[in-house]
């Protein structure tokens, strides 16, 4: 068992390292993207300033909490960004996925290892610079209040984002052009993940529905854990409860991705490969 785990770790490390080196050639692209988070943050800050001018508390959150939430949300986006859906759709569409069916490594594991390497690069060239910008330039109290819970929650968001996107990528096995599904999910994700507005601002009924959908587990939950809010959403979840629900959602999505994969691989024909 230990030998199997060590083998998997070495395989993951090798793929992640190659991906890191490959994307390091485009690190200037990462440095440019550093300005995207702060620009969104500035816009959200001005909107919050206008909204809170007549209210002291909205959705159970004070002005400082909301500002800290948007800062945490931007940083989490840098750590969990994923391209598994686009990459898998491209491989299936071009027939290049055939090479992965002949390899001893499961493609999903390969894609996850790629993401790890890509996001390690993002940690140094996107996350850390943006963290300093928020802390030093905008004077935001951005350091997590509960570091352990925050690291666990962000790690779960990292996995959740990957597994959901991988499931979306597998729609390429069923449709000639699956990009539309990807676009629709991204649109819904931007709204219901809490990236644009905290879900606590939504009606209670919407918040309850979101408990059964993947969106909030990729951004809203980890951002609320990051800010140290001990009453999350209308349900008033504590941080341990929220992370527990997040873990259950990740496990369910991981199992679902395997079921879909086994069904999808039977449809792959690699015409023209």
């Amino acid at each position: 068992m230990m030998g199997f785990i060590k083998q998997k770790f070495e395989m993951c490390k090798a793929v992640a390292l190659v991906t890191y080196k490959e994307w390091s050639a485009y690190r200037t692209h990462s440095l440019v993207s550093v300005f995207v988070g702060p620009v969104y943050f500035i816009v959200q800050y001005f909107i919050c300033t206008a909204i809170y001018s007549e209210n002291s508390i909205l959705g159970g959150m004070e002005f400082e909490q909301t500002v800290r939430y948007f800062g945490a949300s931007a940083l989490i986006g840098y750590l969990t960004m994923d391209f598994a859906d686009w990459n898998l759709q491209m491989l299936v569409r071009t027939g290049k996925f055939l090479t992965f069916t002949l390899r001893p490594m499961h493609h999903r594991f390969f894609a996850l290892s790629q993401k790890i390497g890509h996001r390690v690069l993002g940690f140094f060239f996107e996350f850390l610079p943006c963290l300093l910008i928020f802390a030093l330039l905008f004077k935001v109290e951005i350091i997590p209040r509960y570091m352990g819970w925050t690291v666990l929650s962000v790690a779960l968001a990292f996995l959740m984002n990957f597994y959901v996107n991988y499931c979306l990528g597998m729609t390429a096995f069923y449709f000639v052009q699956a990009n539309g599904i990807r676009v629709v999910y991204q649109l819904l994700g931007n709204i219901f993940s809490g990236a644009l507005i905290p879900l606590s601002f939504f009606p209670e009924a919407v918040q309850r529905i979101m408990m059964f959908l993947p969106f909030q587990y990729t951004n809203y939950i980890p951002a609320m854990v990051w800010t140290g809010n001990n009453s999350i959403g209308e349900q008033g979840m504590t941080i341990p409860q929220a992370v527990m629900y997040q873990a259950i959602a990740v496990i369910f999505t991981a199992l679902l991705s395997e079921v879909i994969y086994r069904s999808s691989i039977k449809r792959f024909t690699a015409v023209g490969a």
Side-chain angles (χ1 to χ4, degrees):
M1 183 63 179
M2 291 302 298
F4 175 78
I5 294 175
K6 182 178 180 181
Q7 181 187 35
K8 286 293 184 181
F9 175 77
E10 292 298 328
M11 293 168 65
C12 177
K13 184 174 70 172
V15 174
L17 183 59
V18 169
T19 304
Y20 179 90
K21 291 180 178 179
E22 179 183 359
W23 280 90
S24 292
Y26 306 97
R27 55 185 177 275
T28 52
H29 177 269
S30 297
L31 290 173
V32 170
S33 69
V34 167
F35 297 100
V36 175
V39 167
Y40 272 112
F41 177 79
I42 291 173
V43 173
Q44 291 167 327
Y45 180 86
F46 287 144
I47 293 175
C48 287
T49 301
I51 294 175
Y52 277 95
S53 62
E54 298 180 357
N55 302 276
S56 58
I57 297 179
L58 285 173
M61 300 173 64
E62 298 179 349
F63 175 77
E64 291 77 12
Q65 289 178 303
T66 304
V67 170
R68 195 160 60 246
Y69 170 90
F70 282 127
S73 178
L75 293 175
I76 290 169
Y78 285 127
L79 294 175
T80 64
M81 191 196 78
D82 184 70
F83 53 87
D85 52 344
W86 177 88
N87 193 46
L88 180 55
Q89 289 181 1
M90 181 273 294
L91 291 174
V92 174
R93 187 172 61 252
T94 60
K96 294 180 179 179
F97 186 79
L98 175 65
T99 61
F100 290 95
T101 63
L102 304 176
R103 297 180 185 181
M105 181 187 295
H106 195 301
H107 178 263
R108 186 175 59 242
F109 183 76
F110 177 85
L112 178 60
S113 302
Q114 277 189 314
K115 178 176 179 176
I116 292 174
H118 189 259
R119 286 302 85 206
V120 169
L121 181 70
F123 176 82
F124 291 112
F125 290 95
E126 296 174 328
F127 174 83
L128 289 181
C130 194
L131 177 68
L132 293 176
I133 290 173
F134 287 153
L136 302 179
L137 184 60
F138 295 123
K139 307 296 181 182
V140 179
E141 186 184 340
I142 201 62
I143 303 301
R145 291 184 177 178
Y146 306 105
M147 184 63 70
W149 285 114
T150 299
V151 171
L152 178 57
S153 184
V154 172
L156 289 171
F158 177 93
L159 293 173
M160 188 68 176
N161 207 27
F162 168 77
Y163 284 123
V164 170
N165 281 335
Y166 197 85
C167 287
L168 290 174
M170 286 188 286
T171 57
F173 288 106
Y174 299 88
F175 302 99
V176 176
Q177 181 54 262
N179 190 55
I181 298 175
R182 178 171 177 262
V183 172
V184 170
Y185 176 81
Q186 289 179 333
L187 174 62
L188 295 175
N190 287 333
I191 298 173
F192 295 114
S193 69
L196 299 179
I197 181 173
L199 291 186
S200 56
F201 288 16
F202 284 79
E204 181 180 353
V206 175
Q207 294 186 51
R208 291 189 179 277
I209 293 174
M210 289 301 108
M211 291 291 296
F212 302 97
L213 297 176
F215 306 111
Q216 70 168 346
Y217 302 111
T218 62
N219 189 282
Y220 174 69
I221 293 296
M224 292 295 279
V225 173
W226 187 305
T227 59
N229 196 322
N230 286 296
S231 181
I232 301 175
E234 281 292 331
Q235 295 80 15
M237 292 183 292
T238 63
I239 288 178
Q241 287 176 330
V243 175
M244 179 189 69
Y245 284 124
Q246 194 180 8
I248 293 173
V250 170
I251 293 172
F252 174 81
T253 308
L255 294 175
L256 178 63
S257 73
E258 178 62 20
V259 172
I260 297 176
Y261 180 85
R262 293 187 180 188
S263 174
S264 300
I265 200 67
K266 298 176 182 179
R267 302 177 60 88
F268 183 61
T269 54
V271 174

